[in-house]
Amino acid sequence: MTTAAGTVLAVLLSLVSSAGYALAAVAQARLAAAPSAPSGRGALRALLARGQWWWAVGLNAAGALAHAVALHYGPLTLVQPLGALTLVAALPLGAYTARRRVTRTEWRGALWTLAGLVGLVAVTGPAAPGESLSLREALAVAAATALLIAALAGGRLPGAGRRAGRTGAGGAEGGVRGGGLGHATASGAASGVASALTQTLTAALASALPGGRPAWWQTALLALLISAFAMGGLLLSQAAYRGGLAAPLAVVNLANPAAAAVIGVALLGETFRAGAWGWLAAAAASLVAARGVVLLTASAPAPPEAVREAAPPAATAPPATATPSAAPSAEGPTGPSSAGLPGLPGVPSQARPEVVRVPAASGPPAAGLFLPAPEAEPAR
């Protein structure tokens, strides 16, 4: 295959990978926003029983496979930036499934995030292939990342707790979104570490791992860690989509290469391209991407569950009922009885004036007037 044909194939496979990741993200977001979304104890078991969840897992696996094959035919500098198109594809797909239009602010946020992500990926890749982690380094990275994930998933981003503590829909909405970005950061970190461990496992299988060929149980331990971080990243992204789709997806796509870059610079001797200018370019790209995430977070629609949790219970007024008197209410042969006055609001029953029968000045002997006792006149 010629170089041009390989490049074209890499581009097509990168587009397929982006589409697969975008469809998986939309499926996960719809599953998270469903009224019957599982939460609390038994949530994982209920999630694994949903067919939509396994569709999302399959789409993520297809996207990862297409990305890996694209890296075989094309350079990293071409394939990685094209992977950032996942956000651009997921935004209109998510809006279409929600039966709404993508707002101008969302498009601006997506473009800012895309520009920052492309700039970050362009300067973080090594100029030459780096070495793989040793087994001891891989275990240390796995332990440190597990602690970071526990901190991110167990708490919320700075300021999210204050927003969640406010009353009303705004406070609940801010809490859900802040927690969603924390889970998204943890998901991206888990996926980035899973990629680094995969590189280590590949080197171990090829007998090129630093320190010599590992034992079988060490190789099995690496495979177990990769599976745990990959599945953990998927579950964390599922939790992140409770706060919306666009902003958590942008954070996942940013945290993944950022975690890989930290591992490469700290442990593998890699550095940013162009030396000091590469560091400045990475910092500028991070600020651009952060601006995009802020726009996406501010423009995202409120999650349904946040509105439901923040809505006060509807106050229902008890039906007004008349307090019957102690005397019978049936009409006698001489007219209505003196017991049928309805209850007066705000007046105790003991303070109500008694009703007495006063003979009328004229008329049949049985006729009479019913007047309150203080206002009655003596019979003439």
Side-chain angles (χ1 to χ4, degrees), residues 125-334:
E131 298 179 354
S132 60
L133 297 172
S134 65
L135 182 62
R136 182 176 298 178
E137 290 173 338
L139 294 178
V141 167
T145 307
L147 293 176
L148 177 62
I149 290 174
L152 289 171
R156 291 179 176 176
L157 295 181
R162 292 190 298 269
R163 289 193 300 268
R166 298 174 184 173
T167 58
E173 178 186 342
V176 173
R177 289 181 182 174
L181 295 185
H183 285 92
T185 307
S187 174
S191 300
V193 171
S195 300
L197 295 179
T198 301
Q199 185 184 22
T200 302
L201 179 61
T202 303
L205 295 177
S207 301
L209 191 68
R213 183 181 180 86
W216 67 268
W217 64 268
Q218 294 174 329
T219 305
L221 179 60
L222 282 175
L224 181 62
L225 288 175
I226 292 170
S227 302
F229 278 107
M231 183 56 66
L234 196 59
L235 292 174
L236 286 167
S237 65
Q238 178 66 43
Y241 292 138
R242 293 179 58 196
L245 171 64
L249 181 59
V251 173
V252 169
N253 287 335
L254 287 170
N256 192 331
V262 170
I263 294 173
V265 171
L267 299 176
L268 300 180
E270 298 176 357
T271 184
F272 291 106
R273 291 189 177 96
W277 290 105
W279 287 88
L280 292 176
S286 300
L287 292 177
V288 170
R291 169 65 176 168
V293 172
V294 169
L295 289 174
L296 290 173
T297 304
S299 62
E305 58 206 28
V307 177
R308 289 198 302 267
E309 292 173 1
T316 56
T321 56
T323 304
S325 305
S329 59
E331 293 188 2
T334 59

Side-chain angles (χ1 to χ4, degrees), residues 36-61:
S36 59
S39 60
R41 293 184 178 180
L44 180 59
R45 184 183 303 174
L47 187 65
L48 297 178
R50 301 287 294 270
Q52 190 176 358
W53 161 256
W54 292 109
W55 273 107
V57 172
L59 288 169
N60 274 300

Side-chain angles (χ1 to χ4, degrees), residues 66-137:
H67 181 75
V69 178
L71 287 174
H72 177 73
Y73 288 103
L76 181 67
T77 54
L78 174 66
V79 175
Q80 286 292 94
L82 289 176
L85 294 176
T86 300
L87 178 61
V88 179
L91 196 60
L93 285 174
Y96 176 77
T97 56
R99 296 182 178 180
R100 66 178 184 87
R101 292 184 178 181
V102 182
T103 64
R104 183 177 300 179
T105 306
E106 286 177 320
W107 279 123
R108 288 173 53 203
L111 293 178
W112 277 81
T113 306
L114 181 62
L117 183 57
V118 170
L120 189 63
V121 170
V123 297
T124 52
E131 298 179 354
S132 60
L133 297 172
S134 65
L135 182 62
R136 182 176 298 178
E137 290 173 338

